[in-house]
């Protein structure tokens, strides 16, 4: 038997740690184990390898406990994690931390308590802040650091605690926390053995004069099949009370007599949604052709792109492909970029696939996500999982098809924290590891994906007509500069937009207004002295939110109450500048006071049910105007929408990023696609101060191929993807001068290896976030470059710099591969 195990910890440190396997204990690869780390911490680790090689030079700690009878991972999950760590230049521990639901990561939490023997060596030994911490802890007895931070508002409580530990003023202890709580159900059983007829007769004698308890006993015998030769069935408390038609008090009386006992059993959180689903919807001639071509393409290509215009019926095609895969006994992963999309899709898929459908996303509780993980872990049954990017980490057993809908969408890219992976690319690799096929779908494919499809690396199927032969929406461009000169703008609304919205609403149709900025207004300023409120922690101005009457930083969450007087000049000159979705909602309500309006942005969709409520209200015409950010652009299907207003296209087009035009075209074309889907051609009104922009022209013509050729020429000229691969290197530190000097030194060392491929360092658009100053270095690598080799070189340069410049240890450095 192996004596040692390599254990992966959910930490941003390279490699694994070796632990001794306790005598008599059996562990295997993929098992969760509880291990000590450092002096006091306890973590849940994952066993990645077993061996008999004892490490030299330090004492090997022992595994404290094995947490599961069987591994928590399936093949090829560890291999998949390793690919993500190598490609996206992060540690396996960071991948593990992102992959497993929090409910499966048992950790220790730090508690502090006052040392009763502590005495100040002399008055004034403790600072005022330390005394507050000591008093608070003394009153509570035993508290966590987060409790102190919340109660006192102090920053860097960890530092205060560390100093007080050195003074022996407090004690620190660790308590293991298991966040997972299984859902349980109250069940009832008799307290006698099934073959003890004498005891059963005695129970009937006991309840002769208690007819309700007698009914309870008879109902239990029936529900449990006690008197039959069949397997004894568990009886829930609710079912028993309902069958016997008695109250809970009657059951409690029977329990008191010793007849019954009540116990808890864990149950799945999945609601059974019916096992008699409807057939998949019938396909039109064009959809049938696309479906057949996809099957042919999948025989020759592992990856196929379905380029289907908005409202062409891609989802119906997906449903037929899913049904084929399930019929073969395999599983399907269906990725969508936004949680809002799962709301509409779930209903359509549920009607066809019934309880074979599982949903997985971040709005689910930890407990719900653990239950889905465990279900997939313990079954080989054909299932379809719909989810956002994190669903790629689930333990599939027989994956046969991966669908990535709206594959172009930037929401598939994880930004912070690591791993900064792209869900689309990860899904393609996952499919390859399972021997499954990958299908990418989009009306506006990513430039890199379309480039590979045209080059023959991916299969390509086109679906370029809308379902029912509805025409693509007509796009009208409004020059806002000219409209303002003519005084035909009411705030952010042109007169043409108001007139057409009014006509649509009178006809019982609906309107979507798109503004890609949440909050009430992006900026507040003083018209007397020019003062602008800025975040204390970040180099950005604060966004005004009217419903809370507060100024908020969308980077760190710092919040201020909007002052009545300017803090700089003390005059009442504060005014709101610009428009966010909250202000749009407010202003459009004044234009159409009789219409119900809903808003879909990050502020209104924080709870799991909020997406459902907003979409249901709009679908059922409880609201007829929907104001939203990019959330409303992504595949939502509303039959009655005839007008889509894009209020300010300039903010998307004029962004300093090589992908800005691609993102702008995608977003404008996608939101335009919400118009005129079921009954007639829709109308899209694009407001811009630069109607001559090529992006606007391509949107007007719905000309994706023209846009692609135009953008590809620009990319080739300046050596951007798909002709190269971009790696952004970020360095962060609390001191601006330090990070600037270290970044220059690091970039110079990179140039010695990568030469002209290195650009920077530069201060990014937002140069300070959460009190950390930032520098950015850009690497443009050839597509053929080996990412594990690049990772090794970058790591080596980092270690070399630490050796010659101690300041590097305090600089936070990370990589963003294929940024979007």
């Amino acid at each position: 038997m192996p004596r040692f195990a390599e254990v992966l910890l959910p930490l941003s440190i390279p490699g694994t740690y070796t632990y001794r396997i306790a005598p008599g204990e059996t562990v295997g690869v993929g098992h969760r184990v509880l291990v000590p780390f450092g002096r006091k911490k306890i973590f849940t680790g994952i066993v990645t390898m077993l061996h008999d090689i004892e490490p030299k030079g330090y004492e090997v700690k022992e595994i404290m406990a094995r947490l599961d009878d069987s591994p928590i991972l399936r093949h090829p999950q560890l291999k998949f994690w390793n690919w993500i760590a190598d490609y996206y230049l992060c540690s396996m521990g960071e991948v593990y931390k992102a992959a497993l639901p929090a409910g499966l990561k048992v950790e220790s939490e730090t508690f502090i308590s006052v040392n009763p023997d502590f005495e100040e060596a002399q008055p004034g030994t403790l600072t005022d802040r330390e005394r507050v911490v000591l008093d608070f802890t003394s009153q509570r007895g035993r508290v966590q650091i987060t409790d102190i931070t919340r109660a006192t508002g102090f920053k860097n409580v960890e530092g205060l605690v560390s100093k007080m530990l050195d003074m022996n003023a407090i004690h620190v202890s660790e308590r293991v926390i298991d966040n997972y709580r299984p859902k349980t159900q109250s069940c009832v059983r008799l307290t006698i053995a099934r073959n003890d007829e004498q005891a059963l007769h005695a129970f009937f004698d006991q309840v002769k004069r208690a007819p309700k308890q007698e009914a309870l006993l008879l109902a239990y015998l029936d529900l449990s099949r006690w008197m039959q030769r069949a397997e004894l069935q568990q009886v829930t408390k609710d079912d028993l009370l309902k069958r016997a038609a008695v109250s809970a008090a009657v059951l409690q009386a029977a329990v008191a007599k010793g007849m019954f006992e009540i116990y808890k059993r864990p149950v799945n959180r999945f609601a059974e949604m019916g096992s008699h689903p409807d057939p998949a919807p019938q396909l039109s001639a064009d959809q049938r052709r696309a479906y057949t071509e996809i099957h042919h393409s999948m025989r020759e290509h592992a990856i196929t792109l379905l380029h289907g215009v908005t409202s062409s019926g891609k989802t119906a095609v997906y449903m037929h492909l899913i049904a084929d895969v399930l019929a073969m006994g395999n599983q399907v992963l269906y990725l969508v970029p936004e949680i809002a999309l799962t709301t509409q899709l779930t209903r359509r898929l549920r009607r066809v696939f019934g309880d074979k459908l599982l949903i997985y996303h971040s709005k689910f509780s930890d407990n719900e996500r653990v239950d889905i993980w465990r279900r997939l872990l313990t079954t080989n049954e054909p299932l379809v999982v719909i989810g956002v990017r994190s669903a790629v980490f689930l333990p599939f057993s027989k994956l046969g098809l991966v669908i990535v809908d709206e594959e172009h969408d930037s929401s598939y890219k994880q930004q912070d924290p690591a791993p900064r992976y792209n869900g689309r690319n990860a899904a393609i690799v996952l499919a390859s590891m399972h021997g499954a096929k990958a299908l990418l779908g989009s009306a506006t494919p990513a430039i890199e994906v379309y480039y590979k499809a045209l080059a023959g690396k991916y299969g390509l199927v086109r679906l370029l007509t809308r379902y029912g032969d509805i025409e693509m929406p007509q796009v009208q461009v409004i020059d806002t500069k000219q409209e303002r000169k003519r005084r035909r703008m009411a705030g952010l609304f042109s007169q043409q937009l108001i007139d057409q919205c009014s006509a649509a609403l009178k006809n019982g149709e609906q309107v979507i207004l798109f503004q890609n900025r949440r909050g009430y207004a992006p900026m507040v300023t003083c018209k007397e002295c020019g003062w602008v409120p800025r975040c204390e922690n970040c180099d950005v101005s604060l966004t005004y939110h009217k419903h809370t009457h507060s100024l908020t930083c969308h980077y760190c969450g710092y919040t201020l109450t909007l002052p009545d007087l300017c803090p700089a000049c003390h005059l009442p000159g504060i005014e709101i500048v610009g428009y966010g979705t909250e202000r749009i909602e407010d202003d459009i309500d004044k234009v159409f006071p009789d219409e119900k309006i809903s808003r879909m942005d990050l502020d209104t969709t924080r709870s799991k049910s909020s997406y459902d409520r907003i979409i249901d209200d709009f679908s059922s015409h409880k609201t007829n105007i929907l104001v939203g950010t990019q959330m409303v652009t992504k595949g939502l299907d509303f039959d009655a929408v005839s007008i889509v207003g894009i209020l300010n296209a300039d903010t998307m087009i004029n962004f300093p990023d090589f992908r800005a035009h691609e993102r702008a075209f995608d977003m404008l074309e996608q939101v335009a696609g919400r118009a005129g889907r079921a009954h007639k051609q829709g109308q899209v009104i694009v407001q811009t101060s630069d109607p001559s922009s090529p992006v606007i022209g391509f949107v007007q013509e719905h000309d994706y191929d023209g846009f692609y050729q135009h953008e590809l020429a620009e990319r080739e000229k300046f050596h951007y993807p798909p002709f190269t691969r971009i790696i952004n290197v970020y360095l962060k530190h609390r001191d601006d001068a330090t990070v600037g000097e270290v970044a220059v030194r690091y970039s110079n060392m990179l140039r010695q290896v990568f030469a002209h491929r290195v650009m920077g360092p530069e201060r990014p658009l937002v140069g300070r976030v959460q009190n950390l100053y930032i520098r950015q270095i850009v690497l443009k690598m050839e597509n053929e470059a080996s990412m594990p080799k690049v990772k090794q070189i970058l790591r080596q340069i980092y270690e070399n710099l630490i050796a010659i410049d101690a300041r590097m240890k305090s600089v936070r450095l990370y990589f963003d591969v294929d940024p979007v």
Side-chain angles (χ1 to χ4, degrees), residues 126 130 133-134 159-170:
L126 293 172
E130 289 165 351
V133 171
L134 198 68
L160 291 174
V161 168
S162 178
K163 289 180 183 176
M164 295 170 75
L165 269 173
D166 293 340
M167 289 187 276
N168 205 26
I170 55 175

Side-chain angles (χ1 to χ4, degrees), residues 463-604:
L463 185 56
L464 302 180
T465 56
R466 290 186 129 192
Y467 185 77
D469 292 324
I470 300 295
E471 289 185 70
M472 292 295 288
Q474 185 180 2
V475 179
Q476 179 182 355
V477 179
I478 306 295
D479 186 340
T480 52
K481 281 196 297 189
Q482 292 299 321
E483 291 299 292
R484 284 199 171 88
K485 285 180 182 177
R486 296 170 186 164
R487 301 182 182 274
R488 289 173 54 84
M489 291 286 292
L492 206 58
F493 310 120
S494 63
Q495 191 59 51
Q496 293 100 313
L497 177 62
I498 292 172
D499 291 344
Q500 294 200 38
C501 288
S502 181
L505 293 167
K506 282 176 184 175
N507 290 333
E509 296 164 351
Q510 293 177 299
V511 172
I512 290 178
L513 298 177
F514 171 66
Q515 172 75 345
N516 201 30
R517 189 187 289 275
R518 66 186 173 102
Y520 189 83
M523 202 168 75
V524 169
T525 186
C526 175
K527 60 186 176 185
E528 304 294 340
C529 69
W531 171 81
V532 174
R534 302 188 68 81
C535 177
E536 282 190 355
N537 310 312
C538 313
D539 283 343
V540 292
S541 58
L542 299 176
T543 300
Y544 176 55
H545 290 257
K546 186 179 181 183
H547 71 288
T548 57
H549 195 59
S550 62
L551 299 164
T552 301
C553 173
H554 289 170
Y555 284 84
C556 72
Y558 173 77
T559 301
L560 281 177
T561 301
L562 182 70
D564 295 320
L565 299 176
C566 171
C569 67
H570 306 291
L571 293 173
I574 290 177
E575 62 178 358
I576 311 299
V577 180
Y579 290 84
T581 48
E582 192 183 350
R583 187 172 188 180
I584 299 296
E585 181 187 25
D586 233 21
D587 287 4
I588 203 69
D589 184 51
K590 295 169 186 171
V591 179
F592 301 109
D594 297 328
E595 295 291 344
K596 293 286 180 92
I597 300 162
S598 55
R599 172 164 54 96
M600 183 184 284
D601 57 25
L602 190 61
D603 298 317
T604 62

Side-chain angles (χ1 to χ4, degrees), residues 664-730:
F665 179 84
D666 292 348
M667 216 172 285
L668 293 171
E669 186 65 16
Q670 290 285 340
V671 76
R674 302 315 109 205
R677 299 177 70 83
H679 58 295
K680 69 171 190 177
Q681 184 182 27
Q683 185 79 16
V684 180
I685 299 167
V686 179
Q687 297 187 160
T688 174
S689 62
D690 184 16
S692 63
S693 166
V695 174
I696 299 292
F698 291 124
V699 171
Q700 266 189 294
E701 299 299 322
H702 302 290
D703 183 7
Y704 173 79
D705 280 290
F707 169 76
Y708 167 79
Q709 294 298 339
H710 177 272
E711 185 69 9
L712 195 70
E714 292 286 305
R715 299 278 185 93
E716 187 171 23
K717 182 179 178 181
F718 295 104
H719 307 290
Y720 279 111
F723 303 101
T724 56
R725 177 181 294 147
I726 301 294
I727 303 172
N728 284 340
V729 185
Y730 291 97

Side-chain angles (χ1 to χ4, degrees), residues 70-87:
S70 56
I72 202 72
L73 304 179
R74 286 184 184 268
H75 177 78
Q77 282 180 283
L78 280 174
K79 182 181 176 184
F80 180 57
W81 291 7
N82 193 62
W83 176 83
I84 288 180
D86 276 345
Y87 187 85

